[in-house]
Amino acid sequence: MPPLVSVALDARGIARDFGGRPVLRGVDLSLGGGETVVLLGPNGAGKSTLLRILALLLSPRDGVVVIQGLDGRAARAEALRHVGYLGHESACYPDLTPRENLEFYAELYGVDDPVRIDELLEWTGLAEAVRRPLRTCSRGMVQRVGLARVLLHRPSVVLLDEPFTGLDPAASEALDERLRALRAAGCAVLAAVHDVPRAAALATRVLILHAGRIAWTSPASVPDAAALAEVYRATAVGRG
Amino acid sequence: MRATLAIVRKDLRIEWRTRETATTLAVLGVLLVTVLAFAHDPDPDAAPLLVPAVLWSAMVFTGLLGVERGFLLEREQDCLAGLRGAPIDPTALYAAKLTVNVLLLGATHAVVVPLTGLFLHVDLWPVLPSLAVVLLLGTVGFAAVATLFAFVTVRLRTRQVMLPLLVLPLLIPLLIAAVKATEAVLGRGLGGAPDALGVLVSFDVIFVTAGALLFPAIVKD
């Protein structure tokens, strides 16, 4: 595991309710630069809610989120410059082309670097589809444009909610490579995934979220896929 | 300002490409003007009295539809999360949506006003500058309120019921003043209804300011 450069994201005591039902019950989580942390958990465990809170899109009932030393409440706009978040959907406009989408977000983030857009379009493999509205592209293509959007401003904290959904094997492999490159570049990555073998292969640390709490944290050496699956079954599935 | 302009350009580019909102508003506007004008079929002396009612009825119905569609655009693919996750002042989003709504409603007026004059046999050309001032003031006030509440209701399944219920009571002073000012424009001229113009200007200032101040709190979650 590469050494941690610094604490990129620190969340303490995160709690959130929906309609009076507690979804997160005091989650503590730190992400260091150069870490790829995978969040496992059954449906309804609170993974998406936690990611949206860490991305400063949802306010927690209790707790604080600090990103690169910046308080997520007091210095939200500054903190957001360090964060890239990809949810279940791409947040890209179906009636714009991939390039137009990236150019739009580049303006919002103040990224004045056309070469960066070219580089990301090349990485997504959408150079040929670059003039087509996103609506005419496949789910996998849209997902890749969404990921390019997330990486556009070179965030130091990348939060991904099931990023492999809808990707074919080649695109998944390309995403694996990109995530490894981000780790090598000192970026902190937190990804919620359902695929335990992929989690074992990708992560420098694995967390299992169950019933709104971190129920298990992997040791410094992440177990292999079979052992991790066993732990997951015992921690999350076995408890119902 | 940069973020506001970027969002305005993006919305107008999508509108230019799809022409969904402009076409819908224009068709609805034409339909409303046609029905209202031919249902009353007034004599030439009474026709000018009907112009304000036709113009502002068309404005309310097309406007409610238009502002709602502006935020539906942001719901698809959860684009709103992309905007909210960007390091921009939420007020920039409100200012952009308000600007786009005013522009789209302005385009609708460009269809509705000549048609109203044509169907009611009223020559609106000589009063067009004064009428444009009243329409602009009314449209800005309408859009300021409707843009704010459209964002609140866009995530509700009952948004088509909730938006008019929330917006229309607030718009009553604006609509009364707009109708009175339009009547004045067609009769004594723009200076004939200083009170109505005062209400329109005050309404715009109050609700644009309130929208800009409240929007960041509404957009928070």
Side-chain angles (χ1 to χ4, degrees):
Chain A
M1 184 173 108
L4 297 186
V5 176
S6 61
V7 175
L9 182 148
D10 194 30
R12 293 286 151 217
I14 301 298
R16 171 79 196 202
D17 300 346
F18 283 120
R21 188 178 68 87
V23 175
L24 295 173
R25 306 161 190 253
V27 174
D28 296 326
L29 172 68
S30 276
L31 282 180
E35 260 200 309
T36 300
V37 177
V38 169
L39 194 59
L40 289 173
N43 292 335
K47 301 188 297 296
S48 296
T49 302
L50 178 59
L51 284 168
R52 286 179 83 88
I53 287 172
L54 298 180
L56 309 181
L57 293 172
L58 267 183
S59 301
R61 173 172 52 77
D62 287 318
V64 290
V65 178
V66 177
I67 296 164
Q68 297 293 5
L70 298 159
D71 187 309
R73 280 190 183 144
R76 184 175 183 273
E78 271 308 297
L80 283 173
R81 292 194 178 279
H82 299 282
V83 180
Y85 165 77
L86 180 64
H88 290 164
E89 293 180 281
S90 69
C92 290
Y93 294 88
D95 293 305
L96 298 181
T97 67
R99 177 179 289 282
E100 287 167 345
N101 269 293
L102 295 187
E103 285 172 346
F104 169 63
Y105 279 106
E107 273 196 87
L108 294 190
Y109 281 89
V111 176
D112 194 11
D113 183 4
V115 177
R116 176 72 175 156
I117 294 175
D118 290 339
E119 181 211 337
L120 286 168
L121 284 171
E122 196 176 328
W123 169 68
T124 57
L126 291 169
E128 288 171 14
V130 82
R131 290 176 200 281
R132 283 166 47 192
L134 214 53
R135 194 179 290 287
T136 65
C137 296
S138 68
R139 167 88 176 96
M141 285 175 167
V142 173
Q143 180 79 340
R144 277 180 278 161
V145 178
L147 197 64
R149 172 190 68 76
V150 167
L151 302 178
L152 185 64
H153 58 292
R154 294 188 167 88
S156 57
V157 176
V158 174
L159 306 167
L160 306 169
D161 198 353
E162 297 178 27
F164 293 94
T165 306
L167 298 186
D168 60 27
S172 295
E173 183 57 36
L175 178 55
D176 276 340
E177 276 177 31
R178 192 76 192 193
L179 294 178
R180 287 190 193 100
L182 287 172
R183 184 198 305 174
C187 192
V189 179
L190 176 63
V193 300
H194 275 304
D195 183 351
V196 174
R198 188 175 293 283
L202 193 65
T204 56
R205 187 156 50 111
V206 176
L207 306 174
I208 297 178
L209 190 67
H210 180 66
R213 290 195 177 92
I214 302 285
W216 183 80
T217 303
S218 69
S221 172
V222 174
D224 63 25
L228 186 59
E230 191 56 42
V231 171
Y232 181 67
R233 266 194 296 276
T235 309
V237 182
R239 291 184 190 180
Chain B
M1 193 63 179
R2 180 178 171 154
T4 302
L5 289 175
I7 297 167
V8 168
R9 270 200 304 273
K10 179 266 296 175
D11 278 11
L12 293 180
R13 175 177 275 171
I14 290 173
E15 183 53 36
W16 178 253
R17 197 159 286 165
T18 63
R19 294 184 175 84
E20 273 181 26
T21 307
T23 308
T24 308
L25 298 193
V27 168
L28 181 62
V30 169
L31 193 69
L32 285 165
V33 171
T34 307
V35 170
L36 291 170
F38 284 94
H40 289 84
D41 195 18
D43 59 58
D45 291 338
L49 299 175
L50 204 56
V51 170
V54 172
L55 285 181
W56 290 102
S57 300
M59 159 78 193
V60 168
F61 287 110
T62 55
L64 286 173
L65 188 66
V67 294
E68 188 194 349
R69 291 179 76 94
F71 279 115
L72 286 176
L73 182 74
E74 306 297 348
R75 265 189 55 163
E76 201 173 358
Q77 285 291 325
D78 200 14
C79 290
L80 199 53
L83 290 177
R84 291 176 57 235
I88 60 170
D89 184 345
T91 309
L93 175 57
Y94 176 73
K97 290 295 178 186
L98 175 62
T99 306
V100 172
N101 286 333
V102 169
L103 290 173
L104 282 173
L105 290 175
T108 311
H109 291 321
V111 175
V112 165
V113 170
L115 214 58
T116 304
L118 183 72
F119 286 171
L120 294 176
H121 309 292
V122 178
D123 185 7
L124 296 174
W125 187 251
V127 297
L128 199 57
S130 305
L131 186 59
V133 170
V134 174
L135 286 172
L136 179 66
L137 290 172
T139 303
V140 168
F142 176 91
V145 175
T147 302
L148 186 67
F149 283 96
F151 183 80
V152 175
T153 58
V154 74
R155 285 175 282 190
L156 304 176
R157 266 182 304 171
T158 53
R159 61 179 173 271
Q160 283 166 332
V161 176
M162 290 306 291
L163 183 60
L165 278 179
L166 290 169
V167 165
L168 290 177
L170 285 173
L171 288 176
I172 287 171
L174 175 96
L175 291 173
I176 292 171
V179 166
K180 292 290 177 197
T182 309
E183 274 175 6
V185 162
L186 294 170
R188 294 159 287 164
L190 196 58
D195 292 348
L197 284 175
V199 170
L200 286 177
V201 171
S202 306
F203 193 96
D204 288 3
V205 171
I206 291 167
F207 280 96
V208 169
T209 308
L213 292 174
L214 291 172
F215 195 78
I218 292 171
V219 85
K220 202 170 151 195
D221 272 355

